[in-house]
C-alpha cells in the first residue's frame, strides 16, 4: 500500500481506478484469467506464486516468486499492490492477517475462514436458513456409525478442509463401510463430516458478484456434469425450468447478501426431483463453472470480479448465446492439438500456459457457442476427445 493513512479510510465508497495495481495471491488459471480481464480495463497486476512463470505471472506486470506462506513475499505483494485478491480459498490464516493489516483486501478474511472449512460453511449457511444436506461432525468410528443411523444411507463422508475435485471424500453405501472410511480419511489429519447423500437430478451452480458498495448481480445458472469428480461440462442455459433458474439466482443473491460477500461467490447446488435446491458448497472466487461467461455473457466472471473488488458498477450478466464449456485435462491436450487447426469456428480455445501436462490436470477449456445447447453438445461430441 502506498499510502498508509489512506488505508484507514478505505471502505465501501473507495474506488480503485484503472491504472492501479491488483495483487493476486496464487498464480494459477483463475488468477491468469482475472489478470487478462483486468488488463483490458487498464489495471496492472502482480502475482505471488512459488512457481516461476506461473500461468498468472505470464500475464502480470510482476511476479513475486515465493510460497504462499512466505511472510516477506506476502509483505512485498502488499507493498506493491493497491488492492489484493486471491484465486484460492486455502489462504493461510496468518497470511490473511498480514495482508489485512498491510494492504487493502476488500474481500476480507472472514469469508475465506468460512469457506476453508466445510463444517463452518455448512453451519453458517444453515444458520441463515439456507438449505444444506443434513450433516454430523464425527470424531470416532462409533460416531460415524451413529451418524449413519441418524442420517440414513447412502451418505458421504468428507474431510472438513483441503478437499477438491472429490479428493478427501467417500460415499458410504453400507453401514459397515463407515468405520473403514473414517479410518482412511484420518490420513488427511482434519476434522471429518458426514452428510446425507442427496439423490439429485442435476447439479447446477450460480455465481453471484457483490461489489464493495453492496450492488449484487448473478450470472445465469450453469448445469454441471462431472466425470470422476472433476467438472467436465457446464451447460448454459441449464436444462431446468425458469422457475428453478430464478429460485437458484435468488438463493445465490441471498447468500452473497447474508455473508456480506465482496467479489464473487460461486454457489454449487443440487436439484432434487421435487424441484428443490440444496446448497452443496461455496467458493469465494471465480469458479470453473463460470468460464462460459468469457465468451457468452456481456461481462465475464473475471471482469465482474475486478469490478466488484475495485468498486466499479457491476457489468451486465446477460447471456448472449447458448454455450457449453468443456474442460481440457492433461490427457486431452495432445489429441486436441492434433486437430486444433480444424476446430469449428464457434469453438473458443482457452489454454492456461501450464508448463507440465499431467492426467486430470486442468490445462484449459473450450467454450462452444451454438444455436442451442444440444447443437453445442453435438459439436463437442464430434471433436470426440472426451469419450
Ligand atoms: N451430499 C451429497 N449428495 C450427493 N452427491 C454428493 C454429495 N456431496 C458431494 N457429492 C458429489 O461429489 C461431488 C464433489 O463434492 P464436493 O462437496 O463438491 O467436493 P469438492 O470440493 O471435491 O468439489 C459433487 O459435485 C457431487 O457430485
Ligand atoms: Mg464441489
Amino acid at each position: 500500500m502506498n499510502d498508509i493513512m489512506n488505508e484507514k479510510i478505505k471502505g465501501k465508497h473507495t474506488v480503485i481506478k484503472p491504472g492501479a495495481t491488483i495483487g493476486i495471491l496464487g498464480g494459477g488459471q483463475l488468477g491468469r484469467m482475472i489478470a487478462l480481464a483486468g488488463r483490458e480495463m487498464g489495471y496492472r497486476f502482480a502475482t505471488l506464486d512459488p512457481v516461476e512463470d506461473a500461468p498468472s505471472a505470464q500475464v502480470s506486470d510482476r511476479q513475486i516468486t515465493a510460497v504462499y506462506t512466505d511472510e516477506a513475499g506476502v509483505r512485498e505483494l502488499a507493498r506493491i499492490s493497491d488492492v489484493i485478491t486471491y484465486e484460492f480459498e486455502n489462504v493461510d490464516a496468518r497470511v490473511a492477517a498480514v495482508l489485512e493489516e498491510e494492504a487493502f483486501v476488500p474481500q476480507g478474511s472472514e469469508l475465506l475462514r468460512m469457506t476453508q472449512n466445510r463444517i463452518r460453511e455448512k453451519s453458517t449457511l444453515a444458520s441463515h436458513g439456507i438449505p444444506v444436506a443434513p450433516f454430523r461432525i464425527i470424531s470416532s468410528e462409533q460416531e460415524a456409525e451413529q451418524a449413519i443411523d441418524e442420517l440414513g444411507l447412502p451418505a458421504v463422508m468428507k474431510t472438513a478442509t483441503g478437499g477438491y475435485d472429490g479428493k478427501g471424500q467417500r460415499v458410504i453405501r453400507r453401514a459397515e463401510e463407515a468405520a473403514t472410511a473414517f479410518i482412511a480419511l484420518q490420513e488427511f489429519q482434519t476434522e471429518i463430516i458426514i452428510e446425507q447423500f442427496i439423490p439429485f437430478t442435476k447439479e447446477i451452480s450460480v455465481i453471484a458478484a457483490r461489489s464493495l458498495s453492496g450492488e449484487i448481480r448473478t450470472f445465469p445458472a450453469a448445469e454441471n456434469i462431472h466425470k470422476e469428480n472433476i467438472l467436465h461440462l457446464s451447460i448454459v442455459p441449464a436444462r431446468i425450468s425458469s422457475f428453478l433458474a430464478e429460485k437458484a439466482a435468488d438463493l445465490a443473491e441471498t447468500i452473497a447478501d447474508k455473508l456480506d460477500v465482496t467479489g464473487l461467490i460461486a454457489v454449487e447446488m443440487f436439484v432434487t426431483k421435487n424441484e428443490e435446491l440444496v446448497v452443496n458448497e461455496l467458493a469465494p472466487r471465480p469458479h470453473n463453472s463460470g468460464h462460459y461467461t468469457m465468451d457468452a455473457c456481456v461481462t465475464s466472471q473475471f471482469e465482474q470480479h475486478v469490478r466488484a473488488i475495485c468498486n466499479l458498477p457491476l457489468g451486465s450478466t446477460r447471456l448472449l448465446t447458448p454455450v457449453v464449456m468443456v474442460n481440457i485435462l492433461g490427457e486431452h491436450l495432445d489429441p486436441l492439438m492434433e486437430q486444433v487447426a480444424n476446430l469449428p469456428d464457434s469453438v473458443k480455445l482457452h489454454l492456461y500456459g501450464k508448463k507440465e501436462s499431467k492426467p486430470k490436470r486442468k490445462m484449459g477449456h473450450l467454450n462452444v457457442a451454438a444455436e442451442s445447447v444440444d447443437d453445442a453438445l453435438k459439436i463437442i461430441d464430434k471433436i470426440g476427445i472426451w469419450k
Side-chain angles (χ1 to χ4, degrees):
M1 211 42 234
N2 305 328
D3 187 65
I4 301 287
M5 280 312 287
N6 204 15
E7 183 54 24
K8 303 285 173 214
I9 56 169
K10 282 223 159 98
K12 68 183 181 133
H13 300 297
T14 307
V15 175
I16 307 286
K17 293 185 181 149
T21 297
I22 300 176
I24 308 179
L25 197 66
Q29 66 264 27
L30 300 177
R32 177 187 178 95
M33 292 183 278
I34 293 170
L36 286 170
R39 292 195 111 177
E40 285 192 340
M41 302 163 76
Y43 290 98
R44 313 201 64 147
F45 282 86
T47 288
L48 184 143
D49 195 89
V51 180
E52 198 74 54
D53 199 38
S56 166
Q58 291 167 16
V59 299
S60 291
D61 300 86
R62 300 203 35 199
Q63 166 163 15
I64 296 163
T65 309
V67 294
Y68 309 124
T69 48
D70 179 290
E71 258 188 58
V74 170
R75 276 180 214 283
E76 176 64 4
L77 184 71
R79 194 185 65 76
I80 64 176
S81 303
D82 298 290
V83 55
I84 299 270
T85 188
Y86 46 79
E87 59 134 37
F88 56 83
E89 55 268 50
N90 288 317
V91 178
D92 179 80
R94 256 193 83 72
V95 166
V98 169
L99 282 174
E100 277 206 300
E101 199 163 297
E102 303 202 3
F104 178 48
V105 192
Q107 291 162 279
S109 58
E110 197 41 48
L111 194 61
L112 278 175
R113 220 179 79 77
M114 202 253 289
T115 52
Q116 276 169 3
N117 185 305
R118 289 187 198 279
I119 297 170
R120 280 203 284 269
E121 183 174 281
K122 284 202 153 58
S123 311
T124 309
L125 287 169
S127 76
H128 288 293
I130 308 287
V132 295
F135 66 97
R136 298 283 186 277
I137 302 159
I138 51 172
S139 52
S140 68
E141 293 153 69
Q142 290 72 23
E143 282 180 21
E145 280 159 2
Q146 190 188 334
I148 286 204
D149 266 354
E150 291 166 17
L151 298 172
L153 286 169
V156 190
M157 205 181 278
K158 300 180 180 179
T159 56
T161 60
Y164 67 99
D165 290 344
K167 292 188 177 66
Q169 57 175 276
R170 300 284 170 104
V171 178
I172 316 285
R173 298 193 183 278
R174 292 178 301 131
E176 48 287 17
E177 292 164 359
T180 32
F182 179 79
I183 291 163
L185 291 182
Q186 291 303 301
E187 159 202 357
F188 294 93
Q189 301 195 336
T190 169
E191 296 158 290
I192 311 278
I193 102 166
I194 184 159
E195 57 188 51
Q196 215 169 61
F197 183 91
I198 306 294
F200 56 81
T201 54
K202 278 194 162 51
E203 288 191 82
I204 62 170
S205 56
V206 172
I207 296 167
R210 185 170 174 277
S211 72
L212 207 51
S213 59
E215 184 189 5
I216 300 179
R217 297 222 182 181
T218 58
F219 286 99
E223 173 184 344
N224 299 321
I225 298 185
H226 298 86
K227 264 191 183 173
E228 295 175 52
N229 282 315
I230 302 172
L231 184 65
H232 171 46
L233 301 172
S234 288
I235 300 170
V236 187
R239 294 168 295 183
I240 55 176
S241 66
S242 53
F243 162 78
L244 204 54
E246 212 164 292
K247 200 158 125 178
D250 286 349
L251 197 52
E253 190 171 326
T254 302
I255 291 172
D257 182 45
K258 292 253 162 87
L259 303 186
D260 225 356
V261 170
T262 300
L264 299 184
I265 185 90
V267 183
E268 295 180 13
M269 313 174 210
F270 300 129
V271 178
T272 70
K273 64 177 188 315
N274 306 326
E275 297 235 308
E276 264 148 25
L277 293 170
V278 176
V279 172
N280 175 33
E281 62 170 353
L282 305 177
R285 52 168 170 77
H287 193 261
N288 196 169
S289 69
H291 292 358
Y292 79 87
T293 58
M294 298 171 88
D295 298 301
C297 288
V298 174
T299 307
S300 76
Q301 63 165 342
F302 302 102
E303 178 180 340
Q304 198 77 308
H305 181 66
V306 171
R307 286 171 176 254
I309 61 172
C310 292
N311 213 9
L312 298 180
L314 296 179
S316 162
T317 55
R318 186 160 58 87
L319 187 70
L320 301 170
T321 171
V323 63
V324 177
M325 189 269 343
V326 56
N327 267 334
I328 300 165
L329 305 182
E331 63 269 33
H332 305 133
L333 197 57
D334 284 346
L336 182 71
M337 285 307 121
E338 272 171 38
Q339 48 175 312
V340 73
N342 302 310
L343 290 174
D345 63 3
S346 59
V347 174
K348 295 283 191 166
L349 172 66
H350 299 268
L351 289 178
Y352 307 145
K354 293 186 184 175
K355 287 277 131 52
E356 204 190 337
S357 166
K358 286 188 213 157
K360 307 286 168 243
R361 187 170 199 207
K362 290 174 183 168
M363 303 304 290
H365 66 272
L366 300 181
N367 282 335
V368 182
E371 290 285 312
S372 67
V373 294
D374 281 346
D375 287 353
L377 288 168
K378 278 184 203 137
I379 293 170
I380 290 169
D381 212 39
K382 213 163 148 209
I383 299 172
I385 60 177
W386 293 275
K387 299 252 153 71

